[in-house]
Amino acid sequence: MQKRKMSFQILFCYLLTLSAGLPGHSLFAEEKVSQQSVTRAMRKASEFYRDKLAVHGGYVYYYSLDLQERWGEGKAGPDQIWVQPPGTPTVGMAYLKAYQATGDQYYLDAATDTALALVYGQLKSGGWTNSVEFNPRSKLTADYRNGKGSGRNNSTLDDGITQSAIMLLIRVDQALQFENQTIHEAAMIALNALLKAQYPVGAFPQVWTGPVESIPGKAASFPDYDWRTEGRIKNYWDCYTLNDGLAGYVSDVLIEAYAIYEDQRYRQAVLKLGDFLIQAQLPDPQPAWAQQYSFEMQPIWARKFEPPAVTGGETQDVIETLMNIYRFSGDRKYLEPIPRALAYLKRSHLPDGQLARYNELRTNRPLYMERSGKKYSLTYDDSNLPRHYGWKIKSQWASLQRDYKAIESGKQKQASQPGRRELTLQARKILNALDDQARWISTSTGERLVGQPKFPANSRYIASEVFSQNLETLSSYLQALKEK
């Protein structure tokens, strides 16, 4: 008996030693969080968010703790919701994932509310602008399809605005088995408008108010004029756009729409977009992509601090999009531009491993801006950059290279879902962070947040992005428990 007891003590000490070698983990670190505690926390947090923060079923980015102030990109009015992520569609998608994980009708009802809020703000042109104003007397209204607003009719693909609204609508439509005619009709109108906004060459504009013109396609080339001072196009938003991940956002929506509705038009639109991306690759020595193109397929100015240039962010998005279109279609022509683009990214890294947002045409020198009042001027110096804009971006070269090699070796892309151990730790952390009012409170470190305002350091607020991420993580944890 004594010998057995000693053996157990030795084994226990060995296990403690073994577990101590795992960074951040104790012997009991993987002790699961109970399903009941997770579902209870999810429901409490969602009831707070829906009951206390929703306005007409929609949301903004940030809320003060006393709920007296709301912000999107700037201060939001009392009847205003935000479409641009991480606003209403972001919250709606989190509700939808919670419904899929729990089967609780409450979450489907909440997601339906967010979808109906977006339907209210759908423009006559079929898409959305960055916010929706429910007070018809407000100057913030736009030209809504329901006739309850007035103003601009500019559907936009900037920052994933219309794309995120469509994605939520079509997924809620599917979850409701296509029986909610209001949501189904809005989804069909939006998808039809998106198809009509696609140029014959496969490109999309940043903004549309109606069907686009038929313009012959050309291969991309460098400007043959002094692009620093000439050739500025006033309505750049009508031209071919890749800015802010447009290609990835649009292709994701069209691929999902094809999966849900099995309409060949969506498949053909994806392939046309891929064909445009192939054409839009600039020639050597910069076989990459720009933010905006003229109808002559040359990089152009956008805003006064957005010069014609090769852009690291758009190039990374295009590479990822081309790989996704290959997976969707099986056509290897969508892979052909990638090796040269990856090699270009690798040799364009800054000393700190980042990428410049802009690289000068032909020379590939990192290109920046200086600001004096409202005037911007081009510079190679990064020591005094305007703070309202991201001039350097994180390089994704390693992960893109890894994904491309996996494709070449015939392997499927691995999902980036965290493992069960990590999900357990995340779930516990999220539950511990929920306060006694069922809120997840954020504290500003003084960093520049999405939109405005820039909160002072140590100020506390409620964020839709944090709520949505936490709800989705807890939903993933529940799914992992089911799969055990």
Side-chain angles (χ1 to χ4, degrees):
M1 183 69 179
Q2 184 68 25
K3 184 176 181 180
R4 182 181 298 174
K5 183 177 179 182
M6 184 175 294
S7 297
F8 174 79
Q9 289 173 337
I10 293 171
L11 175 62
F12 185 74
C13 290
Y14 170 75
L15 289 173
L16 280 177
T17 303
L18 182 65
S19 67
L22 299 174
H25 299 290
S26 71
L27 176 66
F28 305 107
E30 287 191 81
E31 180 185 350
K32 73 176 184 180
V33 182
S34 74
Q35 179 177 340
Q36 183 181 17
S37 63
V38 171
T39 55
R40 184 168 57 246
M42 289 171 63
R43 184 63 182 265
K44 285 183 176 180
S46 297
E47 287 175 350
F48 169 81
Y49 227 78
R50 188 182 179 196
D51 296 345
K52 301 291 187 181
L53 302 184
V55 169
H56 304 285
Y59 302 87
V60 296
Y61 294 171
Y62 312 113
Y63 303 83
S64 62
L65 297 190
D66 62 6
L67 310 186
Q68 297 304 302
E69 294 186 90
R70 308 161 69 249
W71 297 277
E73 286 199 352
K75 193 169 183 179
D79 292 295
Q80 189 181 27
I81 64 170
W82 230 256
V83 181
Q84 183 173 326
T88 301
T90 304
V91 177
M93 293 296 284
Y95 286 143
L96 201 55
K97 186 166 183 177
Y99 170 67
Q100 293 162 350
T102 65
D104 188 340
Q105 181 68 30
Y106 175 87
Y107 297 110
L108 182 56
D109 292 343
T112 302
D113 286 348
T114 63
L116 290 172
L118 294 174
V119 171
Y120 182 99
Q122 187 174 27
L123 301 174
K124 289 180 180 177
S125 52
W128 285 262
T129 187
N130 62 357
S131 64
V132 178
E133 172 58 61
F134 285 83
N135 179 357
R137 300 183 185 85
S138 172
K139 294 179 181 180
L140 299 174
T141 63
D143 197 7
Y144 302 137
R145 187 169 65 86
N146 61 20
K148 295 181 180 179
S150 61
R152 294 184 177 182
N153 187 31
N154 299 334
S155 293
T156 181
L157 297 171
D158 191 34
D159 291 318
I161 291 169
T162 289
Q163 302 95 307
S164 63
I166 294 176
M167 187 70 87
L168 179 67
L169 287 185
I170 64 178
R171 287 186 174 173
V172 172
D173 191 25
Q174 182 184 42
L176 295 173
Q177 300 180 345
F178 317 109
E179 293 180 354
N180 186 308
Q181 289 304 307
T182 300
I183 292 174
H184 182 72
E185 179 186 28
M188 294 299 98
I189 289 171
L191 286 168
N192 286 334
L194 183 62
L195 294 180
K196 291 177 181 178
Q198 187 176 30
Y199 284 101
V201 296
F204 287 87
Q206 188 180 77
V207 171
W208 80 85
T209 56
V212 298
E213 300 176 43
S214 180
I215 299 170
K218 296 184 178 183
S221 61
F222 294 114
D224 53 6
Y225 55 83
D226 183 1
W227 57 267
R228 290 171 171 266
T229 58
E230 300 175 21
R232 298 196 184 205
I233 297 175
K234 182 178 180 182
N235 292 352
Y236 65 86
W237 47 82
D238 293 331
C239 295
Y240 306 152
T241 303
L242 294 176
N243 191 29
D244 288 332
L246 183 146
Y249 272 127
V250 170
S251 63
D252 287 348
V253 167
L254 290 170
I255 290 170
E256 186 76 0
Y258 178 70
I260 292 173
Y261 302 110
E262 299 182 351
D263 187 327
Q264 285 294 328
R265 296 179 303 155
Y266 308 142
R267 176 180 172 82
Q268 291 306 312
V270 174
L271 302 185
K272 282 173 61 179
L273 174 59
D275 292 343
F276 165 73
L277 297 178
I278 293 173
Q279 282 187 288
Q281 187 176 30
L282 289 161
D284 288 331
Q286 293 171 296
W289 287 266
Q291 279 187 343
Q292 309 274 160
Y293 293 80
S294 68
F295 297 131
E296 298 298 314
M297 201 68 109
Q298 295 180 339
I300 58 171
W301 283 91
R303 290 176 291 184
K304 55 188 175 182
F305 48 85
E306 295 176 322
V310 174
T311 49
E314 281 66 37
T315 292
Q316 293 183 141
D317 179 65
V318 169
I319 292 171
E320 185 172 7
T321 301
L322 285 170
M323 287 192 283
N324 286 338
I325 293 176
Y326 163 74
R327 294 185 186 99
F328 175 68
S329 67
D331 192 332
R332 291 192 64 85
K333 74 177 181 180
Y334 298 113
L335 298 179
E336 291 174 5
I338 294 176
R340 288 185 297 133
L342 286 171
Y344 164 80
L345 282 180
K346 185 177 181 181
R347 64 177 180 264
S348 298
H349 283 132
L350 299 170
D352 63 1
Q354 296 188 94
L355 293 169
R357 191 182 194 101
Y358 299 109
N359 286 85
E360 187 176 49
L361 297 174
R362 292 190 174 93
T363 71
N364 208 48
R365 293 182 67 180
L367 193 61
Y368 305 105
M369 285 279 187
E370 292 178 329
R371 182 180 182 181
S372 177
K374 295 183 178 181
K375 185 179 179 180
Y376 291 83
S377 56
L378 292 161
T379 180
Y380 301 120
D381 183 3
D382 64 354
S383 63
N384 188 30
L385 300 175
R387 298 184 64 184
H388 65 85
Y389 200 60
W391 299 97
K392 298 179 183 180
I393 60 173
K394 181 180 179 180
S395 173
Q396 299 171 19
W397 176 84
S399 61
L400 291 170
Q401 177 80 358
R402 185 167 55 250
D403 287 348
Y404 178 72
K405 285 186 175 180
I407 286 176
E408 288 294 277
S409 63
K411 297 178 181 178
Q412 294 294 321
K413 182 179 180 181
Q414 296 296 314
S416 58
Q417 187 76 359
R420 185 171 296 144
R421 172 186 290 168
E422 186 178 348
L423 278 173
T424 301
L425 293 170
Q426 289 178 2
R428 184 178 293 110
K429 183 177 180 180
I430 290 169
L431 263 57
N432 289 339
L434 193 67
D435 74 2
D436 57 4
Q437 297 183 51
R439 306 173 301 179
W440 284 299
I441 295 176
S442 300
T443 302
S444 173
T445 59
E447 76 279 12
R448 187 171 73 91
L449 299 171
V450 175
Q452 298 294 329
K454 181 183 177 184
F455 295 109
N458 299 319
S459 59
R460 303 171 77 221
Y461 57 93
I462 301 165
S464 288
E465 185 172 24
V466 172
F467 167 77
S468 301
Q469 288 175 348
N470 287 351
L471 194 62
E472 292 205 11
T473 299
L474 293 178
S475 298
S476 295
Y477 177 75
L478 292 180
Q479 294 283 17
L481 290 181
K482 292 178 185 179
E483 295 166 6
K484 187 173 180 180

